[in-house]
Amino acid sequence: TYNNNYKYILLTILFNLFNESLNSINYYSAFNSLKLFPTNAQEKYPSHKLIHQITGFFGIFIISTISSNINRSRISHVEETPLILEEESNSSSKEKLNNKNPVILKLYFYLIIFVWIIIEQAIEKYNRTFCHLEFWMIELGIISYLCSKKLNIVIYKHQKLVLYFNIIPIIFKIGTIILAFYEKKLYYTHYWILIPIGLLIYFLFMFAKSYVNVSLKYFMDSKYFSANKILRAYGLIGTIFLTIICIISTLFECKDYDEDNKNIIDDICSIEYNNKKYFENFIKYINTSEDIYEIIIEVLVVILGMIFFYFYKFYTMMIIKYLNPIYITLLTPTIYFFDKLISLIYNLILTIFNKGIFLVNDKIIYIKENFYLDFSGDIFCFISFLVYLEIIELNCLDLSYNSRKKIEERARIESITLNNEFADVKNIINNEDEDEDIDKDKYVN
């Protein structure tokens, strides 16, 4: 059954793909990269991820502020606000009702926003450093537990099945880790102790991320914070925090550049400038290209990145608000699935014209096997998501009993039954009244 709020899922996926296409959509460089602007300079600019993130956060702050101001000016004139503004209309009046401890609430709110930003940055660096050890399935169990405990969200039988069903993607993920040991090119293949350490760190990251998403749901449902209010804080704090990090990383290098002696620092500090390695470097970014055309393209990429990133985050907030945070976790492998699917289709088309690179990477011996394992896991996760969304119904073992369709059917049957019972009672009362009238007539006569 289709829920009208599923449109937010589709829009989130769409704008995430748009945002990723500004840099590149690929799989460990095993395909031709799919880019919105495939120019020479755009091969170099995307390495400055932190700077692009700063502009993305700034874009969120600017657009959410403008959106809020436009909405406030329209509330008194328009009954139905546009999709982008619909959650704002009554937030200011409702918020006053939940303002018992404003100082504590604000501190807690800004703390959650700051943790949100930190965790996003940490997870990105983790995924780059501990390749194949990103078991997002861990988050699904954590977020389900937190939602049931903190938000009193009931997890039904068919939804619990999805949790168990994700054991299969875990098996595929373990397969990629085993192949990594044959490669002997990742850090944890040389120091196996890094695997349990990495998994422990990842568990903590997933717990923090899940807690943040549950807290965002709490702010919107219980404290009546609008999505744009949350995104304003997110954009402003993110811009300030990452700008400070970027300035510091520009002034202080990580290490001298050494091609022969690479270590984990090289994965974290990936910017090379003047034979030194930096976490990020403003100067290198500014001097990336002197070609006016390339600079104009980069400015266009930055502007579009601001817009796409805002809408991606906005519709993510809509999923949390109108559905629940569990959908965000299930959305992660769905996005991975579409990334791989698009890369696959794009390069199959190029291969037909002898221009495509199809699963070729000299640095990764088992690149094909890795791709097939990852993609198979994503397919299973995508099917799980469809089951959770109740688009696929499992009409066995009473699994669909608490699906939306079945609940609506039972409510409709109960309503019809009650109406029939009410009609029967009404008929009985009317018949009794008629009998009384007849008796009265007889008595009078």
Side-chain angles (χ1 to χ4, degrees):
T1 57
Y2 179 78
N3 182 337
N4 190 47
N5 291 323
Y6 291 169
K7 64 189 175 187
Y8 299 124
I9 295 173
L10 296 175
L11 289 166
T12 300
I13 294 172
L14 183 66
F15 280 102
N16 179 76
L17 291 172
F18 283 159
N19 193 47
E20 288 184 348
S21 68
L22 292 173
N23 293 325
S24 69
I25 298 177
N26 208 326
Y27 179 81
Y28 295 111
S29 301
F31 295 108
N32 277 329
S33 295
L34 176 60
K35 294 184 178 183
L36 198 59
F37 300 99
T39 66
N40 292 329
Q42 284 304 312
E43 296 292 329
K44 300 176 182 177
Y45 279 116
S47 62
H48 296 276
K49 292 182 178 180
L50 189 64
I51 293 176
H52 282 172
Q53 287 175 348
I54 292 172
T55 58
F57 276 105
F58 185 66
I60 285 180
F61 172 69
I62 294 297
I63 297 173
S64 60
T65 301
I66 293 172
S67 180
S68 296
N69 291 336
I70 292 174
N71 183 68
R72 276 195 293 268
S73 66
R74 289 182 177 180
I75 286 176
S76 58
H77 303 289
V78 183
E79 292 183 2
E80 293 185 3
T81 56
L83 177 64
I84 185 175
L85 306 171
E86 62 185 7
E87 93 293 351
E88 288 270 356
S89 57
N90 296 317
S91 62
S92 58
S93 59
K94 290 179 180 177
E95 195 173 330
K96 295 176 182 178
L97 301 176
N98 276 282
N99 208 21
K100 295 180 180 179
N101 299 301
V103 176
I104 296 176
L105 181 62
K106 283 184 179 180
L107 288 174
Y108 177 59
F109 171 68
Y110 288 120
L111 176 63
I112 289 297
I113 297 298
F114 185 69
V115 172
W116 183 11
I117 295 166
I118 293 291
I119 287 300
E120 282 186 336
Q121 296 299 311
I123 291 174
E124 182 197 349
K125 301 302 178 291
Y126 177 94
N127 291 342
R128 190 188 305 177
T129 305
F130 291 92
C131 180
H132 303 308
L133 290 183
E134 65 276 27
F135 283 86
W136 64 267
M137 307 84 174
I138 297 173
E139 184 186 0
L140 190 56
I142 296 172
I143 193 74
S144 299
Y145 174 80
L146 289 177
C147 282
S148 64
K149 294 298 181 182
K150 189 170 182 179
L151 301 176
N152 296 318
I153 293 175
V154 179
I155 311 297
Y156 294 117
K157 187 184 290 186
H158 66 284
Q159 296 169 334
K160 289 179 181 178
L161 178 67
V162 171
L163 300 179
Y164 302 135
F165 193 66
N166 279 289
I167 293 174
I168 297 175
I170 289 176
I171 294 172
F172 286 123
K173 180 62 70 174
I174 292 172
T176 63
I177 295 173
I178 293 172
L179 289 177
F181 274 89
Y182 285 100
E183 298 280 355
K184 292 290 183 181
K185 292 181 179 180
L186 298 173
Y187 303 112
Y188 59 79
T189 61
H190 296 281
Y191 308 99
W192 66 267
I193 191 65
L194 289 176
I195 294 180
I197 293 174
L199 290 176
L200 176 61
I201 293 171
Y202 194 73
F203 176 84
L204 296 175
F205 286 167
M206 291 301 100
F207 182 84
K209 180 185 175 184
S210 299
Y211 188 84
V212 165
N213 286 335
V214 170
S215 297
L216 293 176
K217 176 74 170 174
Y218 165 76
F219 285 128
M220 287 190 282
D221 286 359
S222 299
K223 300 303 176 184
Y224 303 104
F225 282 31
S226 69
N228 276 320
K229 176 172 182 175
I230 294 172
L231 289 176
R232 276 202 309 274
Y234 174 77
L236 180 60
I237 295 173
T239 302
I240 295 172
F241 176 70
L242 293 188
T243 301
I244 293 172
I245 296 297
C246 202
I247 292 172
I248 294 173
S249 61
T250 300
L251 296 175
F252 301 98
E253 72 274 8
C254 297
K255 54 175 284 192
D256 292 334
Y257 179 77
D258 189 350
E259 180 67 30
D260 298 325
N261 296 303
K262 289 187 175 182
N263 54 38
I264 198 169
I265 300 298
D266 291 277
D267 285 336
I268 298 173
C269 301
S270 57
I271 304 298
E272 178 197 349
Y273 183 63
N274 289 339
N275 290 321
K276 296 183 183 299
K277 300 284 284 188
Y278 293 85
F279 180 66
E280 185 54 275
N281 194 294
F282 271 125
I283 300 172
K284 174 70 182 293
Y285 175 75
I286 294 171
N287 295 324
T288 297
S289 177
E290 295 181 355
D291 187 281
I292 298 298
Y293 173 75
E294 296 287 2
I295 293 173
I296 292 173
I297 291 295
E298 174 60 13
V299 171
L300 181 60
V301 167
V302 167
I303 294 172
L304 288 176
M306 290 178 174
I307 297 170
F308 293 159
F309 190 49
Y310 166 77
F311 280 104
Y312 166 61
K313 287 296 181 181
F314 178 82
Y315 290 120
T316 298
M317 297 297 295
M318 292 295 96
I319 293 173
I320 294 175
K321 179 180 177 64
Y322 292 111
L323 295 168
N324 67 58
I326 299 175
Y327 288 80
I328 299 298
T329 303
L330 288 167
L331 196 61
T332 300
T334 304
I335 290 173
Y336 291 161
F337 168 76
F338 281 105
D339 281 346
K340 294 181 182 70
L341 183 63
I342 289 172
S343 290
L344 192 63
I345 295 172
Y346 174 66
N347 280 272
L348 279 173
I349 294 171
L350 290 179
T351 302
I352 294 172
F353 299 98
N354 297 318
K355 296 181 179 180
I357 299 174
F358 193 77
L359 289 174
V360 176
N361 189 326
D362 296 334
K363 296 181 180 180
I364 305 176
I365 301 171
Y366 298 103
I367 185 64
K368 290 183 179 180
E369 290 80 0
N370 273 296
F371 178 81
Y372 296 142
L373 286 169
D374 271 345
F375 194 46
S376 299
D378 292 341
I379 290 173
F380 275 97
C381 294
F382 182 59
I383 295 172
S384 298
F385 197 17
L386 295 179
V387 173
Y388 197 93
L389 294 174
E390 299 174 9
I391 293 174
I392 295 178
E393 288 191 32
L394 301 176
N395 295 311
C396 60
L397 302 175
D398 219 20
L399 289 171
S400 63
Y401 181 77
N402 286 310
S403 67
R404 187 179 298 102
K405 181 180 178 181
K406 296 293 184 182
I407 292 173
E408 288 175 355
E409 284 180 0
R410 290 198 299 274
R412 188 164 52 251
I413 292 170
E414 289 176 4
S415 177
I416 294 171
T417 303
L418 287 173
N419 287 335
N420 290 337
E421 290 177 354
F422 178 76
D424 291 340
V425 171
K426 188 176 180 180
N427 288 333
I428 292 170
I429 293 172
N430 289 336
N431 291 333
E432 289 178 350
D433 289 341
E434 289 177 1
D435 292 340
E436 288 180 2
D437 290 339
I438 292 171
D439 291 339
K440 286 180 181 179
D441 291 338
K442 290 180 179 179
Y443 178 77
V444 170
N445 293 332

